[in-house]
Amino acid sequence: MEHVEKIIDEKRQGKALLTVNKKENTKKLFIESYGCQMNMNDSEIVASILDKQGYNTTQILEEADLVLVNTCSIREKAETTVRKRLQKYNAVKQVNKNMKVGVLGCMAERLKEKFLEEEKIVDLVVGPDAYKDLPNLLEEVNEGRDAVNVILSKEETYGDISPVRLNSNGVSAFVSITRGCDNMCTFCVVPFTRGRERSRDPKSILEEIGQMVDKNYKEITLLGQNVDSFLWYGGGLKKDFKKASEMAQATAVDFAQLLDMCATQFPKTRFRFSTSNPQDMSLDVIHTMAKHKNICKYIHLPVQSGSNAMLEAMNRQHTREEYMQLVDNIYKIIPEMALSQDMIVGFCGETEQDHQDTLDLMEYVKYDFGFMFAYSERPGTLAGKKMEDDVPADVKKRRLTEVINLQQKHALYRTQQHVGKIEEVLIEGTSKKDPNQWKGRNTQNTVIVFPKEHYKLGDFVNVKVEDCTSATLIGTAVGYSDNN
């Protein structure tokens, strides 16, 4: 079983993205994305900007005029993969002399000089806040100069650009609501690669959702590095909120209100959101979820460790006890809520007792699913500069195995609770294992497969759950749900 970051979908890593081609566009763009869902979404923004510059997307590297790789810095593996890809582009460049290559995203932010000096293949380096500058940068490149823009912005949210949906299943879409992050977790490079936190205008968010609904999308995931701290008061950085006028503060929109607006305005659309940060989660959000049937009963609530000593070392702004209390309150308000975790094992200074605390916390919550990693040091982070990565590799490996095994046990316990129930499922595609079966997800985000019969992609169907594995429910449709 692969353990991947919630928002890192391994099947989509490095898949060249394809859009509907326009006849009048004469140039070809090959764009690959690595890393989180935010990166996938950013590539859709880039495709939209370049579409207006005369570029159609292609999945054939050899015919591309422009090759862009949208990169991730969260783990070493992602960076290594990108370097391999650059070598591959280089080989193609020997044949196709006119091809230009650019690096986008977080790695661009982190390694700007390196790319131009060492990787002689790169013509263009563009950070996550500079995509609107692409037309100018391409002009520079076409005149034979290297082009770089890695300036991080206080304002940029791309709220005015309608992303081109790439490789979508046509049923679910992602809409970005915040960019950047203010939480300086010591293991994380995001604040340095994506800048400080800023929220997008709710009006532009609702407009984008409206466009998606008109195109028959049935499920929207609101996306941000930390959605719970969404705060719109007219623009600008979240940390400057206290400097805003009284009027701006009084009329500000927070995440609970934004969710309420979305669910109310689009009652037939399912809403999800990712990622939540325990320290910023307010119970208002849980009450809003309880109020609306169309907000899915699932929260990705990363904790990273069950040990207070580790939480402090990671600069997570809450204790184990506060997290447990939050979980108690969530289950009290919405007993059927599904929770998932991110865990880092073997962080700097982690003892056996710290590890035991993590296992105990998992027993307490019994997460529906999780994403578990052994700690690997990232350059540029506070831990990378100040802390010693002192847990031996074999110890990390053993602890990770223990965490994964316990998660498997809890996952099975959680899927078993669904057996015998009838649950609403949104059909999002064909099952990978059986072409005669649909797959979809229930409100808790659990995958469910069932015979296709006469049902169609994008239908909301009631399915009777008859069996399960630790990851999947197996059932039979009993009719359409009242949401169609």
Side-chain angles (χ1 to χ4, degrees), residues 39 42 46 69-71 102-112 124-134 137 147-153 156 158 179 192-195 198:
N39 264 4
D42 277 359
V46 169
V69 55
N70 197 344
T71 61
V103 174
L104 310 176
C106 292
M107 218 170 140
E109 196 61 48
R110 202 173 83 67
L111 298 174
K112 41 192 177 287
L124 186 70
V125 179
V126 193
D129 285 348
Y131 298 140
K132 279 186 194 159
D133 197 24
L134 272 164
L137 296 170
V148 186
N149 185 344
V150 289
I151 295 166
L152 289 173
S153 152
E156 189 57 81
Y158 300 111
R179 293 184 76 80
F192 308 105
T193 59
R194 286 187 166 273
R198 64 225 99 113

Side-chain angles (χ1 to χ4, degrees), residues 225-266:
Q225 243 69 42
N226 180 9
V227 287
D228 294 85
S229 64
F230 177 89
L231 188 61
W232 172 259
Y233 61 96
L237 294 180
K238 175 167 184 225
K239 66 185 180 64
D240 296 335
F241 176 67
K242 50 192 172 303
K243 297 181 199 158
S245 70
E246 272 179 47
M247 186 64 186
Q249 293 191 25
T251 55
V253 176
D254 68 10
F255 184 55
Q257 290 164 303
L258 178 72
L259 259 186
D260 193 55
M261 287 154 82
C262 293
T264 306
Q265 200 167 324
F266 303 101

Side-chain angles (χ1 to χ4, degrees), residues 131-370:
Y131 298 140
K132 279 186 194 159
D133 197 24
L134 272 164
N136 310 328
L137 296 170
L138 286 169
E139 222 161 278
E140 292 279 307
V141 166
N142 291 333
E143 286 164 21
R145 293 188 289 276
D146 287 337
V148 186
N149 185 344
V150 289
I151 295 166
L152 289 173
S153 152
K154 293 182 179 182
E155 278 82 40
E156 189 57 81
T157 60
Y158 300 111
D160 56 336
I161 294 179
S162 297
V164 175
R165 301 295 157 184
L166 301 164
N167 290 355
S168 161
N169 59 11
V171 177
S172 29
F174 293 84
V175 171
S176 291
I177 65 165
T178 68
R179 293 184 76 80
C181 188
D182 284 349
N183 295 324
M184 292 291 187
C185 300
T186 55
F187 54 80
C188 184
V189 78
V190 163
F192 308 105
T193 59
R194 286 187 166 273
R196 302 311 294 259
E197 196 170 300
R198 64 225 99 113
S199 296
R200 182 174 160 192
D201 186 344
K203 196 163 113 286
S204 78
I205 295 170
L206 291 162
E207 274 167 16
E208 188 180 329
I209 294 169
Q211 291 166 2
M212 297 284 88
V213 171
D214 290 345
K215 289 181 183 152
N216 258 334
Y217 283 87
K218 301 295 175 69
E219 181 179 276
I220 303 288
T221 300
L222 304 176
L223 205 59
Q225 243 69 42
N226 180 9
V227 287
D228 294 85
S229 64
F230 177 89
L231 188 61
W232 172 259
Y233 61 96
L237 294 180
K238 175 167 184 225
K239 66 185 180 64
D240 296 335
F241 176 67
K242 50 192 172 303
K243 297 181 199 158
S245 70
E246 272 179 47
M247 186 64 186
Q249 293 191 25
T251 55
V253 176
D254 68 10
F255 184 55
Q257 290 164 303
L258 178 72
L259 259 186
D260 193 55
M261 287 154 82
C262 293
T264 306
Q265 200 167 324
F266 303 101
K268 294 282 188 198
T269 305
R270 250 190 192 188
F271 288 95
R272 299 186 184 276
F273 54 88
S274 182
T275 296
S276 291
N277 193 313
Q279 75 197 49
D280 295 304
M281 176 143 243
S282 86
L283 292 182
D284 292 353
V285 170
I286 312 301
H287 287 296
T288 303
M289 293 174 83
K291 184 171 116 183
H292 295 279
K293 180 177 177 283
N294 60 329
I295 302 177
C296 292
K297 306 302 181 261
Y298 161 62
I299 301 171
H300 182 61
L301 199 61
V303 67
Q304 311 298 359
S305 172
S307 145
N308 279 335
M310 288 299 98
L311 290 170
E312 195 177 334
M314 292 172 173
N315 195 31
R316 305 288 285 176
Q317 306 288 313
H318 62 83
T319 62
R320 156 197 183 88
E321 290 73 23
E322 285 165 335
Y323 185 88
M324 287 156 91
Q325 191 182 355
L326 175 62
V327 168
D328 288 346
N329 286 330
I330 290 172
Y331 285 149
K332 206 178 297 164
I333 299 165
I334 304 179
E336 74 276 21
M337 185 73 85
L339 296 177
S340 60
Q341 45 86 342
D342 283 351
M343 286 296 175
I344 296 173
V345 304
F347 189 65
C348 312
E350 186 182 67
T351 64
E352 274 312 310
Q353 184 54 53
D354 294 327
H355 171 60
Q356 202 49 57
D357 287 350
T358 294
L359 297 174
D360 290 346
L361 179 74
M362 289 174 70
E363 279 292 2
Y364 187 83
V365 181
K366 297 189 170 57
Y367 295 98
D368 290 67
F369 34 100

Side-chain angles (χ1 to χ4, degrees), residues 75-123:
R75 293 205 304 286
E76 215 168 332
K77 187 180 153 210
E79 289 198 2
T80 317
T81 312
V82 169
R83 292 204 182 277
K84 286 206 189 95
R85 290 304 287 159
L86 289 173
Q87 288 160 4
K88 164 88 173 140
Y89 302 157
N90 208 6
V92 178
K93 232 179 163 182
Q94 303 310 314
V95 184
N96 178 358
K97 297 279 188 235
N98 297 326
M99 184 174 104
K100 300 292 183 240
V101 174
V103 174
L104 310 176
C106 292
M107 218 170 140
E109 196 61 48
R110 202 173 83 67
L111 298 174
K112 41 192 177 287
E113 283 83 18
K114 260 197 164 149
F115 273 122
L116 295 173
E117 289 156 22
E118 291 177 19
E119 332 272 339
K120 289 284 184 269
I121 15 173
V122 175
D123 306 289

